[in-house]
């Protein structure tokens, strides 16, 4: 008889314990054990949350190098079927050679589940017939469990599911997180209950200030500076939407600004300044002609502005001209800082409100949440757990399917907060999203190329760019290390059928088979693969953090980010007053619902998993462990540098500080 020492690790998460009977079968290259009940010294306490327990499994003969285990658990009359979270199983053979089987998932049924030994294997490495069979079976089950669905025509596809709890248990998250998108919780936390139903306009800015009790270091700065032109410009670099601004080399034909109109802070002509790279444009053409929402049956308004900005000799970015609608017309004046205080402030309020819609729908929802879901679904459908790409990417998909389901249910559904309270909620939202899809290119998702394409390489004080590019390089270095370890030649990439199916699924369901997106339809080199995987991890971590974390910082003081506007864009100059602005800003109920939602969406979750931390040990190879350590060291260095840099800034930029960035889109 040959005996194997088995140690089973039950997860430390809430309710991970099972009291069911657990069975194991060891499968080796030369044979297999019987299905054996795991009986240990701890008895019924063997599989308690956060513990590990030892067992023995006997075989008649040496079964050779272990390739997989089969686990199942059975309810009894006394112990009804429960859910068990297993971290891993370690098996030692008589020669004391250890085999680790990473699991990190719930088992909540009585079926047999197969788990592979932890050494990553591409399909071409998987030569053992049982290994190959297990791989095929796993992909068959995954293909049935994770299906694509169409939420709306023209948008990236999403996971097919009927409810937040109907997703496979391996991707479920803690129940408390389900309430994250209900404004009600935020209203209570911000002590705004009772105001959420009020349809009246604000009477004064002091009245808004009275409900603005929850403050952060940045919200206080915003409240003091929201009227300042330099701060208005600063937000295009380091606010929640840092990807719209582009260098302007030729004025668009629908924005006929002349030298006589603008004041360029003592510099030369518009043409000279454009040539020097000091003129920038923000164009909200995605919002053109979109019919704004009705809030409590009252018509709302949404502009589609063009904003021209100038980099001053003092290295500030200041708006010099604003046009609120795209088509030139007499009733569509161009506003300038030299106009009356309230004409200019009102024009800027329309821009900030347009920016809210552009940011939430294009920059945040589409370009991070919906894409992260595409990457997750394609991974879960096409990659077996033993594949190195599964091991590398699965931590970056954590909670994404659930949070997106909840976003569809609680934010953008017919009764969702966004639909009820944002000017671009409802039908307009789909128009904006569909238009946004048309600008969704591969190069715009790769930060180094995006910065170049937008011509913003040398804009001063652009911390999103500076921190983002450093983070991109660190992620790229890590991904290169891991993938070069598994793929020694371009041919090996081409031969990996699972890898090719993964990218084809992304191309088809995420980018709707549009070759103009530039998204690869297959991979033929290791380098192409490294770049794409870098983009996936960057999008799910740093980019999402950059556009998510500051929502309350920049939106908590409502006048800086009105989520809707109650009056149409001004058609002439000279009549706006403080009263006009207050009548235009969202009503009390809309304001507090917006504040509450942004508060909830900016909060760090209690089970936050920071970028580069991999509590689930999917990789077992020492070489990859070392790469992970190196990755974390680089991230720590970047974090320290960012913290140091921030000490000298009036407004710290901390959204891409790796210590604040989560591994995945989880909020
Ligand atoms: Fe988010």
């Amino acid at each position: 008889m040959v005996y194997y020492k088995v140690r089973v690790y039950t997860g430390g998460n809430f309710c991970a314990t099972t009291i069911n009977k657990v069975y194991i079968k060891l499968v080796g290259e030369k044979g297999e054990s019987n299905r054996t009940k795991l009986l240990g010294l701890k008895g019924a306490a063997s599989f308690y949350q956060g513990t590990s327990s030892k067992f023995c499994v006997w075989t008649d003969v040496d079964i050779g190098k272990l390739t997989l285990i089969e686990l199942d658990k059975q309810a009894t009359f006394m112990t009804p079927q429960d859910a068990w979270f297993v971290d891993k199983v370690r098996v030692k053979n008589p020669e004391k050679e250890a085999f680790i089987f990473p699991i990190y998932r719930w088992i909540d049924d009585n079926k047999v589940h197969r788990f592979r030994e932890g050494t990553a294997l591409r399909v071409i490495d998987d030569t053992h017939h049982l290994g190959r069979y297990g791989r095929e079976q796993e992909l068959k089950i995954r293909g049935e469990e994770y299906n694509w669905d169409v939420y709306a025509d023209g948008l990236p596809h999403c996971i097919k599911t009927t409810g937040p709890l109907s997703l496979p248990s391996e991707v479920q998250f803690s129940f408390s997180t389900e309430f994250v998108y209900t404004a009600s919780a935020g209203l209570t936390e911000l002590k705004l209950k009772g105001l959420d139903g009020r349809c009246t306009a604000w009477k004064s800015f002091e009245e808004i200030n009275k409900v603005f009790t929850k403050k952060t270091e940045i919200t206080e700065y915003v409240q003091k500076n929201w009227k300042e032109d330099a701060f208005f410009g600063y937000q295009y670099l380091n606010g929640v939407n840092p990807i719209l601004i582009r260098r302007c080399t030729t004025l668009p034909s629908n924005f006929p600004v002349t030298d006589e109109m603008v004041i360029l802070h003592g510099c030369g002509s518009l043409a000279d300044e454009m040539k020097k790279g000091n003129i920038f444009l923000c164009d909200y053409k995605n919002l053109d002609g979109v019919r704004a929402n009705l809030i409590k049956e009252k018509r709302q308004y949404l502009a589609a502005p063009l904003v021209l900005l100038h980099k001053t000799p003092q290295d500030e970015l200041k708006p010099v001209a604003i046009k609120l609608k795209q088509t030139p017309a007499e009733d569509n004046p161009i506003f300038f800082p030299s106009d009356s205080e309230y004409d200019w402030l009102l024009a800027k309020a329309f821009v900030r409100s347009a920016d809210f819609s552009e940011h939430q729908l294009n920059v945040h929802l589409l370009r991070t949440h919906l894409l992260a879901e595409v990457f997750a679904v394609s991974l879960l459908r096409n990659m077996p757990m033993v594949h190195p790409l599964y091991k590398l990417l699965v931590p970056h998909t954590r909670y994404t399917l659930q949070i997106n389901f909840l976003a569809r249910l609680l934010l953008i559904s017919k009764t969702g907060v966004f639909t009820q309270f944002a000017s671009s909620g409802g039908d307009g939202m789909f128009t904006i999203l569909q238009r946004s899809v048309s600008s969704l290119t591969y190069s715009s998702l790769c930060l180094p190329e995006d910065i170049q394409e937008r011509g913003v390489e040398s804009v001063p004080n652009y911390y999103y760019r500076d921190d983002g590019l450093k983070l991109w390089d660190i992620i790229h270095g890590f991904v290169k290390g891991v993938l070069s370890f598994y793929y020694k030649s371009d041919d090996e990439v081409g031969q990996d059928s699972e890898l090719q199916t993964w990218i084809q699924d992304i191309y088809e369901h995420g980018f709707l088979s549009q070759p103009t997106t530039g998204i690869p339809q297959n991979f033929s080199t290791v380098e192409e693969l490294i770049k794409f995987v870098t983009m996936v991890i960057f999008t799910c971590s740093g980019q999402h953090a950059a556009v998510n974390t500051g929502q309350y910082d920049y939106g908590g003081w409502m006048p800086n980010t009105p989520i809707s506007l109650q009056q149409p864009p001004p058609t002439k100059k000279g009549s706006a007053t403080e009263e006009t602005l207050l009548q235009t800003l969202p009503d009390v109920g809309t304001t507090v619902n917006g504040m509450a939602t942004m508060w909830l969406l900016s909060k760090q979750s209690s089970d936050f998993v920071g970028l580069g931390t991999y509590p689930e040990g999917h990789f077992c190879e020492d070489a990859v462990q070392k790469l992970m350590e190196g990755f974390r060291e680089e991230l720590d260095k970047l974090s320290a540098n960012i913290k140091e840099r921030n000490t000298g800034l009036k407004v710290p930029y901390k959204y891409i500080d790796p210590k604040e960035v989560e591994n995945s889109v989880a909020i």
Side-chain angles (χ1 to χ4, degrees):
M1 295 285 274
V2 182
Y3 78 96
Y4 291 82
K5 283 184 185 169
V6 173
R7 186 175 279 275
V8 178
Y9 297 78
T10 295
N13 26 353
F14 183 59
C15 282
T17 302
T18 183
I19 50 170
N20 293 157
K21 307 288 175 214
V22 175
Y23 297 82
I24 195 167
K25 184 198 267 190
L26 309 180
V27 179
E29 286 181 344
K30 292 195 270 180
E32 58 187 51
S33 73
N34 291 324
R35 174 174 172 262
T36 308
K37 188 169 162 182
L38 291 177
L39 288 168
L41 293 172
K42 294 185 196 165
S46 293
F47 308 106
Y48 269 24
Q49 177 186 335
T51 64
S52 74
S53 303
K54 286 190 290 188
F55 308 92
C56 264
V57 172
W58 295 88
T59 60
D60 293 335
V61 291
D62 178 4
I63 58 173
K65 190 171 176 291
L66 296 181
T67 58
L68 62 90
I69 55 171
E70 289 182 357
L71 271 185
D72 67 285
K73 68 176 186 60
Q74 302 301 324
T76 64
F77 179 69
M78 298 293 286
T79 63
Q81 191 66 244
D82 56 21
W84 179 35
F85 193 94
V86 201
D87 274 356
K88 63 182 174 184
V89 172
R90 193 185 70 190
V91 183
K92 269 188 183 170
N93 65 13
E95 290 77 41
K96 300 210 166 29
E97 199 182 350
F99 299 87
I100 308 284
F101 298 84
I103 297 175
Y104 303 101
R105 58 169 293 180
W106 292 97
I107 296 178
D108 58 359
D109 55 20
N110 60 359
K111 291 181 191 157
V112 171
H113 297 267
R114 290 187 189 88
F115 300 101
R116 303 295 303 273
E117 193 273 322
T119 309
L121 292 175
R122 301 162 305 165
V123 61
I124 38 175
D125 309 317
D126 215 348
T127 47
H128 192 268
H129 70 282
L130 280 172
R132 282 194 96 104
Y133 174 75
R135 196 174 190 110
E136 282 160 19
Q137 289 302 305
E138 186 186 343
L139 285 182
K140 189 166 165 270
I141 293 167
R142 285 185 177 282
E144 287 160 6
E145 285 182 338
Y146 299 97
N147 272 298
W148 295 107
D149 204 355
V150 176
Y151 178 67
D153 286 341
L155 301 192
H157 297 169
C158 61
I159 183 76
K160 193 180 188 103
T161 183
T162 51
L165 300 178
S166 67
L167 286 166
S169 49
E170 64 175 330
V171 292
Q172 299 252 346
F173 59 17
S174 55
F175 293 90
S176 59
T177 320
E178 271 186 58
F179 301 104
V180 78
Y181 283 153
T182 55
S184 171
L187 288 165
T188 308
E189 275 189 56
L190 299 188
K191 300 190 175 63
L192 297 173
K193 278 268 184 204
L195 293 172
D196 50 312
R198 266 174 57 183
C199 306
T200 49
W202 293 99
K203 291 190 181 69
S204 66
F205 287 97
E206 188 43 42
E207 196 188 17
I208 305 174
N209 184 41
K210 278 190 185 142
V211 304
F212 184 48
T213 50
K214 197 64 112 181
K215 298 188 182 181
T216 68
E217 184 187 6
I218 293 179
T219 57
E220 293 204 1
Y221 186 91
V222 172
Q223 190 182 12
K224 279 193 197 104
N225 293 280
W226 68 281
K227 293 180 181 175
E228 301 299 325
D229 283 355
F231 181 64
F232 177 91
Y234 169 89
Q235 293 183 75
Y236 282 116
L237 303 177
N238 305 309
V240 289
N241 179 9
I243 66 166
L244 182 69
I245 188 164
R246 310 181 78 89
R247 182 177 165 185
C248 179
T249 49
T250 326
L251 283 174
S253 58
N254 61 344
F255 201 15
V257 180
T258 62
D259 280 320
E260 290 69 46
M261 295 175 179
V262 291
I263 300 164
L264 295 180
H265 314 100
C267 299
S269 68
L270 207 45
D272 287 343
E273 284 299 278
M274 275 199 272
K275 221 179 259 173
K276 286 185 197 156
N278 290 336
I279 302 292
F280 298 87
L281 181 73
C282 293
D283 189 347
Y284 294 88
K285 57 185 174 216
N286 269 347
L287 311 179
D288 185 28
V290 172
R291 191 162 167 75
N293 208 357
L294 288 172
I295 296 181
K296 297 191 195 96
E297 295 174 9
K298 188 172 177 208
R299 171 66 51 209
Q300 303 293 302
Y301 297 90
L302 179 65
L306 288 141
V307 183
L308 203 66
L309 298 120
H310 178 229
K311 183 196 83 73
T312 71
Q314 292 74 38
D315 281 351
E316 289 180 319
L317 192 65
K318 287 188 169 178
V320 291
I322 291 173
K323 190 158 73 82
L324 296 179
K325 288 174 274 190
Q326 293 276 313
T327 313
E330 218 163 87
D331 64 354
N332 182 19
I334 302 181
F335 293 91
F336 305 104
S338 52
D339 292 337
S340 80
E341 181 189 356
Y342 282 98
D343 275 345
W344 184 234
L345 214 46
L346 194 60
K348 286 195 290 181
F350 272 92
V351 175
R352 292 294 308 151
S353 189
D355 197 72
F356 169 81
S357 295
E358 168 73 15
H359 163 255
Q360 289 297 0
L361 295 175
N362 180 17
V363 178
H364 184 199
L365 178 63
L366 172 67
R367 297 175 66 94
T368 63
H369 278 257
L370 298 187
L371 288 187
E373 182 170 1
V374 166
F375 303 143
V377 175
S378 186
L379 188 79
L380 292 162
R381 280 175 61 78
N382 299 303
M383 286 289 164
M385 285 175 73
V386 74
H387 195 289
L389 195 72
Y390 179 94
K391 291 170 186 274
L392 179 60
L393 286 185
V394 81
H396 301 286
T397 67
R398 180 174 175 264
Y399 292 175
T400 302
L401 302 186
Q402 285 279 36
I403 207 76
N404 278 9
F405 180 85
L406 293 174
R408 285 189 280 274
L409 184 73
L410 301 170
L411 286 181
I412 60 171
S413 66
K414 281 204 161 50
T415 54
V417 187
F418 193 88
T419 311
Q420 284 189 65
F421 298 108
S423 57
S424 51
D427 294 343
M429 177 187 78
F430 291 102
T431 312
I432 298 167
L433 280 169
Q434 282 152 0
R435 286 182 190 168
S436 304
V437 167
S438 63
S439 61
L440 193 58
T441 58
Y442 187 28
S443 56
S444 72
L445 294 169
C446 296
L447 189 64
E449 289 165 52
D450 179 54
I451 294 294
Q452 246 183 5
E453 278 180 1
R454 291 191 289 117
V456 288
E457 302 95 320
S458 55
V459 188
N461 311 317
Y462 197 1
Y463 310 117
Y464 160 77
R465 173 201 59 204
D466 299 344
D467 299 352
L469 287 175
K470 284 178 194 139
L471 182 62
W472 176 280
D473 282 348
I474 293 172
I475 294 173
H476 185 269
F478 169 61
V479 170
K480 186 175 178 182
V482 174
L483 292 177
S484 307
F485 178 73
Y486 292 105
Y487 296 91
K488 302 291 184 203
S489 72
D490 293 342
D491 283 351
E492 291 178 8
V493 168
Q495 287 160 13
D496 191 332
S497 55
E498 289 164 349
L499 199 59
Q500 302 297 345
T501 316
W502 176 67
I503 189 63
Q504 280 156 20
D505 227 15
I506 290 173
Y507 176 72
E508 185 183 337
H509 293 278
F511 297 86
L512 311 176
S513 303
Q514 293 296 315
T516 49
T517 58
I519 291 291
Q521 299 175 43
N522 52 57
F523 295 122
S524 48
T525 67
V526 184
E527 206 181 316
E528 279 171 16
L529 175 64
I530 292 167
K531 180 180 162 186
F532 192 83
V533 172
T534 301
M535 182 278 286
V536 169
I537 297 179
F538 182 80
T539 301
C540 297
S541 60
Q543 183 64 17
H544 177 254
V547 304
N548 184 82
T549 314
Q551 289 178 90
Y552 188 78
D553 281 345
Y554 286 91
W557 173 245
M558 176 277 283
N560 187 56
T561 310
I563 67 171
S564 188
L565 292 171
Q566 302 192 72
Q567 298 293 328
T571 53
K572 57 182 174 49
K573 299 186 186 184
S575 56
T577 61
E578 182 176 316
E579 179 66 15
T580 321
L581 184 58
L582 287 165
Q583 290 293 324
T584 304
L585 291 174
D587 68 21
V588 175
T590 304
T591 301
V592 298
N593 273 289
M595 288 168 74
T597 308
M598 285 192 251
W599 170 254
L600 291 175
L601 299 186
S602 307
K603 272 171 59 171
Q604 202 175 76
S605 66
S606 54
D607 56 355
F608 171 95
V609 177
L611 179 58
T613 50
Y614 297 110
E616 299 183 350
H618 286 283
F619 279 111
C620 295
E621 293 90 331
D622 287 345
V624 182
Q625 301 294 341
K626 281 206 181 84
L627 289 165
M628 285 175 172
E629 273 167 38
F631 183 35
R632 282 189 286 270
E633 278 167 21
E634 292 294 314
L635 292 171
D636 286 348
K637 271 189 239 161
L638 175 60
S639 174
N641 289 342
I642 290 174
K643 285 187 171 70
E644 170 74 28
R645 189 263 329 272
N646 282 345
T647 57
L649 296 183
K650 275 191 283 187
V651 190
Y653 186 72
K654 50 193 178 177
Y655 304 129
I656 308 187
D657 174 349
K659 287 274 177 271
E660 311 287 328
V661 173
E662 194 151 14
N663 254 340
S664 61
V665 175
I667 183 93

